[in-house]
Amino acid sequence: MQTRKLGPFNVGVIGLGCMNLSHAYGPPVSVDQADRVIAAAIEAGVDHFDTATLYGFGANEELVGRLLKPHRRKITLASKCGMEGRPDAQGVIRKAIDARPSTLARQCEQSLRRLQTDAIDLYYLHRYDRSVPIEDSVGALGDLVRKGVVRSIGLSEVSAPILLRAHREFPISAVQTEYSLWTRNAEIAVLAAAREIGASFVAFSPLARAFLTGALTDVTTLHATDIRRAMPRFASDAYAENLKLLGPFKALARQAGCTPAQLALAWLLAQDDHILPIVGTTSVAHLRENLVAADLALPPDLLAAADALINEKTVTGARYNTQGETEVNTETFAPA
Protein backbone atom coordinates (compact mmCIF):
# COMPACT_ATOMS: atom_id res chain seq x y z
CA MET A 1 0.00 0.00 0.00
CA GLN A 2 1.17 3.54 -0.68
CA THR A 3 2.14 5.48 2.44
CA ARG A 4 1.59 8.96 3.80
CA LYS A 5 2.79 10.86 6.85
CA LEU A 6 0.72 10.51 10.02
CA GLY A 7 2.46 12.97 12.29
CA PRO A 8 5.95 11.51 12.82
CA PHE A 9 4.98 8.12 11.34
CA ASN A 10 4.71 6.69 7.84
CA VAL A 11 1.58 4.58 7.43
CA GLY A 12 -0.53 3.08 4.68
CA VAL A 13 -2.88 5.63 3.16
CA ILE A 14 -5.97 3.77 4.43
CA GLY A 15 -6.24 2.82 8.09
CA LEU A 16 -8.76 0.83 10.10
CA GLY A 17 -11.17 2.59 12.42
CA CYS A 18 -12.05 -0.02 15.03
CA MET A 19 -15.15 1.61 16.55
CA ASN A 20 -17.61 -0.47 14.50
CA LEU A 21 -16.42 -3.65 16.16
CA SER A 22 -17.71 -2.57 19.59
CA HIS A 23 -19.76 0.59 19.43
CA ALA A 24 -22.39 2.81 17.84
CA TYR A 25 -23.88 0.71 15.04
CA GLY A 26 -25.82 -1.86 17.02
CA PRO A 27 -24.58 -4.79 19.13
CA PRO A 28 -20.84 -5.51 19.10
CA VAL A 29 -19.64 -8.23 16.76
CA SER A 30 -18.31 -11.46 18.21
CA VAL A 31 -14.68 -11.64 19.28
CA ASP A 32 -14.10 -14.20 16.52
CA GLN A 33 -15.45 -11.82 13.88
CA ALA A 34 -13.41 -8.92 15.24
CA ASP A 35 -10.36 -11.15 15.17
CA ARG A 36 -11.02 -12.02 11.51
CA VAL A 37 -11.33 -8.36 10.51
CA ILE A 38 -8.17 -7.26 12.29
CA ALA A 39 -6.22 -10.30 11.08
CA ALA A 40 -7.32 -9.55 7.51
CA ALA A 41 -6.23 -5.93 7.92
CA ILE A 42 -2.78 -6.98 9.16
CA GLU A 43 -2.46 -9.49 6.32
CA ALA A 44 -3.37 -6.79 3.78
CA GLY A 45 -0.70 -4.45 5.09
CA VAL A 46 -2.82 -2.07 7.18
CA ASP A 47 -0.57 -0.52 9.82
CA HIS A 48 -2.72 2.32 11.21
CA PHE A 49 -5.37 1.33 13.75
CA ASP A 50 -7.66 3.79 15.52
CA THR A 51 -9.66 3.31 18.73
CA ALA A 52 -10.81 5.39 21.73
CA THR A 53 -11.63 5.26 25.42
CA LEU A 54 -15.28 5.89 24.52
CA TYR A 55 -15.76 2.97 22.12
CA GLY A 56 -17.58 0.23 23.94
CA PHE A 57 -16.72 2.16 27.14
CA GLY A 58 -13.26 0.59 27.21
CA ALA A 59 -14.16 -2.70 25.52
CA ASN A 60 -12.81 -1.67 22.11
CA GLU A 61 -9.40 -0.76 23.51
CA GLU A 62 -9.27 -4.10 25.32
CA LEU A 63 -10.20 -5.94 22.13
CA VAL A 64 -7.76 -4.01 19.94
CA GLY A 65 -4.99 -4.27 22.51
CA ARG A 66 -5.28 -8.04 22.75
CA LEU A 67 -5.55 -8.65 19.01
CA LEU A 68 -2.78 -6.25 18.01
CA LYS A 69 -0.29 -7.08 20.76
CA PRO A 70 1.62 -9.62 18.61
CA HIS A 71 1.97 -6.96 15.86
CA ARG A 72 2.61 -3.92 18.05
CA ARG A 73 6.05 -3.06 16.64
CA LYS A 74 4.74 -3.07 13.07
CA ILE A 75 1.77 -0.75 13.54
CA THR A 76 0.87 2.80 14.47
CA LEU A 77 -1.71 2.73 17.25
CA ALA A 78 -4.02 5.70 17.83
CA SER A 79 -6.52 6.22 20.62
CA LYS A 80 -8.50 9.10 22.06
CA CYS A 81 -9.27 10.61 25.45
CA GLY A 82 -11.63 13.24 26.82
CA MET A 83 -14.84 11.24 26.30
CA GLU A 84 -15.87 8.21 28.29
CA GLY A 85 -18.88 6.29 29.56
CA ARG A 86 -20.22 7.20 33.00
CA PRO A 87 -23.29 5.88 34.86
CA ASP A 88 -26.15 8.32 35.33
CA ALA A 89 -28.44 8.41 38.39
CA GLN A 90 -30.26 5.31 37.11
CA GLY A 91 -27.01 3.44 36.46
CA VAL A 92 -27.25 3.76 32.67
CA ILE A 93 -23.84 4.31 31.04
CA ARG A 94 -23.80 7.53 29.03
CA LYS A 95 -21.03 9.37 27.26
CA ALA A 96 -19.45 12.31 29.06
CA ILE A 97 -17.05 14.93 27.71
CA ASP A 98 -14.35 15.80 30.24
CA ALA A 99 -10.98 17.20 29.15
CA ARG A 100 -9.62 18.28 32.52
CA PRO A 101 -5.90 17.48 32.82
CA SER A 102 -6.47 15.05 35.71
CA THR A 103 -9.10 13.17 33.69
CA LEU A 104 -6.84 12.89 30.64
CA ALA A 105 -3.96 11.56 32.74
CA ARG A 106 -6.26 8.95 34.33
CA GLN A 107 -7.72 7.90 30.99
CA CYS A 108 -4.27 7.53 29.44
CA GLU A 109 -3.19 5.23 32.25
CA GLN A 110 -6.32 3.13 31.75
CA SER A 111 -5.86 3.06 27.97
CA LEU A 112 -2.25 1.93 28.23
CA ARG A 113 -3.39 -0.98 30.37
CA ARG A 114 -6.26 -1.94 28.07
CA LEU A 115 -4.12 -1.59 24.94
CA GLN A 116 -1.31 -3.65 26.52
CA THR A 117 1.33 -1.17 25.42
CA ASP A 118 3.84 1.10 27.12
CA ALA A 119 3.15 4.05 24.78
CA ILE A 120 0.33 5.22 22.49
CA ASP A 121 1.66 6.42 19.14
CA LEU A 122 -1.01 9.06 18.50
CA TYR A 123 -3.31 10.23 21.29
CA TYR A 124 -6.21 12.51 20.37
CA LEU A 125 -8.37 14.76 22.45
CA HIS A 126 -11.66 13.23 21.34
CA ARG A 127 -13.72 16.37 21.87
CA TYR A 128 -12.94 19.94 22.85
CA ASP A 129 -14.39 20.52 26.31
CA ARG A 130 -15.70 24.07 26.31
CA SER A 131 -15.44 24.23 30.11
CA VAL A 132 -11.66 23.71 29.96
CA PRO A 133 -9.26 26.01 28.07
CA ILE A 134 -7.84 24.11 25.13
CA GLU A 135 -4.37 25.11 26.32
CA ASP A 136 -4.93 23.24 29.59
CA SER A 137 -6.10 20.06 27.85
CA VAL A 138 -3.34 20.13 25.24
CA GLY A 139 -0.76 21.00 27.87
CA ALA A 140 -1.76 17.85 29.76
CA LEU A 141 -1.36 15.79 26.58
CA GLY A 142 2.04 17.39 26.08
CA ASP A 143 3.00 16.27 29.57
CA LEU A 144 2.14 12.69 28.56
CA VAL A 145 4.50 13.02 25.59
CA ARG A 146 7.25 14.29 27.86
CA LYS A 147 6.66 11.31 30.16
CA GLY A 148 7.09 8.96 27.22
CA VAL A 149 3.68 7.30 27.46
CA VAL A 150 2.40 9.10 24.34
CA ARG A 151 4.46 9.71 21.19
CA SER A 152 2.38 12.41 19.47
CA ILE A 153 -0.95 14.14 19.97
CA GLY A 154 -3.96 15.08 17.90
CA LEU A 155 -7.36 16.74 18.09
CA SER A 156 -10.74 15.49 16.90
CA GLU A 157 -13.68 17.53 15.57
CA VAL A 158 -12.23 20.99 16.23
CA SER A 159 -12.41 24.28 14.37
CA ALA A 160 -9.42 25.99 12.79
CA PRO A 161 -9.09 28.64 15.55
CA ILE A 162 -9.05 25.98 18.29
CA LEU A 163 -6.53 23.94 16.30
CA LEU A 164 -4.20 26.91 15.93
CA ARG A 165 -4.50 27.81 19.63
CA ALA A 166 -3.75 24.23 20.59
CA HIS A 167 -0.74 24.04 18.29
CA ARG A 168 0.78 27.10 19.95
CA GLU A 169 0.63 25.20 23.25
CA PHE A 170 2.08 21.91 21.98
CA PRO A 171 2.69 20.57 18.44
CA ILE A 172 -0.40 18.91 16.98
CA SER A 173 0.50 15.99 14.73
CA ALA A 174 -2.96 15.12 13.41
CA VAL A 175 -6.53 16.34 13.19
CA GLN A 176 -9.38 13.85 12.93
CA THR A 177 -12.75 14.90 11.55
CA GLU A 178 -15.54 13.43 9.47
CA TYR A 179 -14.82 14.06 5.80
CA SER A 180 -16.32 12.53 2.68
CA LEU A 181 -18.15 13.55 -0.46
CA TRP A 182 -21.26 14.20 1.60
CA THR A 183 -19.63 15.87 4.63
CA ARG A 184 -17.52 18.85 3.55
CA ASN A 185 -17.28 20.92 6.76
CA ALA A 186 -13.53 20.38 6.86
CA GLU A 187 -13.19 22.29 3.61
CA ILE A 188 -14.36 25.52 5.28
CA ALA A 189 -11.15 26.06 7.25
CA VAL A 190 -9.68 23.19 9.24
CA LEU A 191 -8.20 21.30 6.28
CA ALA A 192 -6.18 24.37 5.36
CA ALA A 193 -5.24 25.02 9.00
CA ALA A 194 -3.95 21.48 9.37
CA ARG A 195 -1.87 21.87 6.24
CA GLU A 196 -0.54 25.21 7.52
CA ILE A 197 0.83 23.68 10.73
CA GLY A 198 2.02 20.47 9.06
CA ALA A 199 -0.57 18.23 10.71
CA SER A 200 -1.99 15.16 9.02
CA PHE A 201 -5.74 15.06 8.44
CA VAL A 202 -7.42 11.78 9.39
CA ALA A 203 -10.85 11.46 7.79
CA PHE A 204 -13.35 9.30 9.65
CA SER A 205 -16.61 8.06 8.12
CA PRO A 206 -15.12 8.46 4.61
CA LEU A 207 -17.96 6.30 3.24
CA ALA A 208 -20.65 8.47 4.83
CA ARG A 209 -21.62 5.84 7.40
CA ALA A 210 -22.35 3.33 4.58
CA PHE A 211 -24.31 5.71 2.33
CA LEU A 212 -21.48 5.90 -0.21
CA THR A 213 -21.18 2.11 -0.36
CA GLY A 214 -24.59 2.01 -2.03
CA ALA A 215 -25.60 -0.88 0.21
CA LEU A 216 -27.79 0.97 2.73
CA THR A 217 -31.06 1.51 0.92
CA ASP A 218 -33.55 1.04 3.77
CA VAL A 219 -32.89 2.96 6.99
CA THR A 220 -35.80 1.26 8.72
CA THR A 221 -33.58 -1.82 8.99
CA LEU A 222 -31.09 -0.04 11.25
CA HIS A 223 -30.77 -1.48 14.75
CA ALA A 224 -32.60 0.40 17.51
CA THR A 225 -29.26 1.41 19.09
CA ASP A 226 -27.62 2.49 15.81
CA ILE A 227 -26.44 6.12 16.12
CA ARG A 228 -27.61 6.87 12.58
CA ARG A 229 -31.20 6.75 13.80
CA ALA A 230 -30.58 10.11 15.51
CA MET A 231 -28.86 11.72 12.51
CA PRO A 232 -31.05 13.97 10.34
CA ARG A 233 -29.58 12.70 7.06
CA PHE A 234 -30.77 9.19 7.92
CA ALA A 235 -34.33 10.20 8.78
CA SER A 236 -36.68 8.48 6.34
CA ASP A 237 -37.73 11.56 4.34
CA ALA A 238 -34.21 12.99 4.10
CA TYR A 239 -32.69 9.64 3.23
CA ALA A 240 -35.22 9.12 0.47
CA GLU A 241 -33.95 12.34 -1.10
CA ASN A 242 -30.33 11.33 -0.63
CA LEU A 243 -30.93 7.97 -2.26
CA LYS A 244 -31.67 9.84 -5.49
CA LEU A 245 -27.94 10.63 -5.65
CA LEU A 246 -26.91 6.97 -5.51
CA GLY A 247 -28.03 5.97 -9.01
CA PRO A 248 -25.81 8.54 -10.75
CA PHE A 249 -23.00 7.83 -8.27
CA LYS A 250 -23.11 4.11 -9.00
CA ALA A 251 -23.03 4.93 -12.71
CA LEU A 252 -19.84 6.94 -12.17
CA ALA A 253 -18.32 4.00 -10.31
CA ARG A 254 -19.18 1.66 -13.18
CA GLN A 255 -17.57 4.11 -15.58
CA ALA A 256 -14.47 4.10 -13.39
CA GLY A 257 -14.42 0.31 -13.22
CA CYS A 258 -14.67 0.25 -9.44
CA THR A 259 -17.24 0.01 -6.66
CA PRO A 260 -19.01 3.06 -5.19
CA ALA A 261 -16.98 2.70 -1.97
CA GLN A 262 -13.73 2.62 -3.92
CA LEU A 263 -14.74 5.73 -5.87
CA ALA A 264 -15.57 7.58 -2.65
CA LEU A 265 -12.20 6.70 -1.12
CA ALA A 266 -10.28 7.50 -4.30
CA TRP A 267 -11.94 10.93 -4.40
CA LEU A 268 -10.92 11.57 -0.80
CA LEU A 269 -7.31 10.49 -1.32
CA ALA A 270 -7.09 12.77 -4.35
CA GLN A 271 -8.04 15.88 -2.39
CA ASP A 272 -4.64 16.34 -0.69
CA ASP A 273 -1.65 14.21 0.20
CA HIS A 274 -1.97 15.00 3.92
CA ILE A 275 -5.37 13.24 4.10
CA LEU A 276 -5.60 9.69 5.45
CA PRO A 277 -9.02 8.01 5.61
CA ILE A 278 -9.82 5.40 8.24
CA VAL A 279 -12.49 2.92 7.21
CA GLY A 280 -14.65 1.11 9.72
CA THR A 281 -16.20 -2.24 8.93
CA THR A 282 -17.19 -5.54 10.49
CA SER A 283 -16.77 -7.40 7.19
CA VAL A 284 -13.54 -8.86 5.84
CA ALA A 285 -14.91 -8.66 2.29
CA HIS A 286 -15.74 -4.97 2.67
CA LEU A 287 -12.33 -4.28 4.20
CA ARG A 288 -10.57 -5.85 1.23
CA GLU A 289 -12.82 -3.95 -1.18
CA ASN A 290 -12.02 -0.65 0.52
CA LEU A 291 -8.26 -1.19 0.51
CA VAL A 292 -8.23 -1.50 -3.29
CA ALA A 293 -8.90 2.25 -3.41
CA ALA A 294 -5.39 2.92 -2.06
CA ASP A 295 -3.95 2.12 -5.48
CA LEU A 296 -6.64 3.56 -7.75
CA ALA A 297 -5.72 6.43 -10.04
CA LEU A 298 -8.97 7.73 -11.50
CA PRO A 299 -9.33 10.40 -14.20
CA PRO A 300 -9.66 13.95 -12.80
CA ASP A 301 -12.83 14.58 -14.78
CA LEU A 302 -14.52 11.56 -13.22
CA LEU A 303 -13.51 12.65 -9.71
CA ALA A 304 -14.81 16.13 -10.51
CA ALA A 305 -18.14 14.61 -11.58
CA ALA A 306 -18.41 12.80 -8.24
CA ASP A 307 -17.53 16.03 -6.44
CA ALA A 308 -20.27 17.94 -8.28
CA LEU A 309 -22.84 15.21 -7.72
CA ILE A 310 -22.52 14.76 -3.95
CA ASN A 311 -21.60 17.74 -1.80
CA GLU A 312 -22.95 20.02 0.93
CA LYS A 313 -25.41 21.61 -1.53
CA THR A 314 -26.93 18.38 -2.83
CA VAL A 315 -27.17 16.33 0.39
CA THR A 316 -30.40 16.61 2.40
CA GLY A 317 -30.25 16.88 6.19
CA ALA A 318 -27.75 18.03 8.80
CA ARG A 319 -24.77 15.93 9.86
CA TYR A 320 -25.82 15.76 13.53
CA ASN A 321 -28.95 16.53 15.50
CA THR A 322 -29.01 19.46 17.93
CA GLN A 323 -27.38 17.46 20.73
CA GLY A 324 -24.68 16.15 18.45
CA GLU A 325 -23.86 19.63 17.18
CA THR A 326 -23.23 20.82 20.75
CA GLU A 327 -20.56 18.14 21.18
CA VAL A 328 -18.35 19.19 18.26
CA ASN A 329 -16.48 22.39 17.50
CA THR A 330 -16.23 22.15 13.72
CA GLU A 331 -17.19 24.93 11.36
CA THR A 332 -20.58 24.64 9.68
CA PHE A 333 -21.93 25.90 6.38
CA ALA A 334 -24.43 28.73 6.46
CA PRO A 335 -28.02 27.63 5.71
CA ALA A 336 -28.86 27.80 2.02
Side-chain angles (χ1 to χ4, degrees), residues 27 36 38 98 106 108 125 162 165 172 182 212 286 315:
R36 283 192 288 271
I38 289 180
D98 182 352
R106 170 180 58 79
C108 182
L125 182 67
I162 291 298
R165 276 177 54 190
I172 302 298
W182 91 334
L212 290 170
H286 291 163
V315 171

Side-chain angles (χ1 to χ4, degrees), residues 9 26 78 139 169 176 198 237 257 280 311:
F9 310 102
E169 180 66 27
Q176 184 171 143
D237 290 349
N311 55 63

Side-chain angles (χ1 to χ4, degrees), residues 19 41 138 147 173 178 189 194 204 218 248 254 263 322-324 333 336:
M19 181 182 77
V138 169
K147 290 177 181 176
S173 291
E178 183 175 358
F204 75 79
D218 183 2
R254 287 193 296 273
L263 173 56
T322 302
Q323 174 60 33
F333 290 100

Side-chain angles (χ1 to χ4, degrees), residues 72 77 79 104-113 115 117-123 140-153:
R72 183 65 186 91
L77 182 59
S79 194
L104 304 185
R106 170 180 58 79
Q107 290 181 348
C108 182
E109 183 178 342
Q110 294 168 337
S111 291
L112 290 166
R113 185 176 63 252
L115 292 168
T117 189
D118 57 0
I120 298 168
D121 296 317
L122 175 57
Y123 203 38
L141 295 181
D143 288 342
L144 296 174
V145 175
R146 284 183 279 267
K147 290 177 181 176
V149 295
V150 166
R151 296 192 172 102
S152 63
I153 68 170

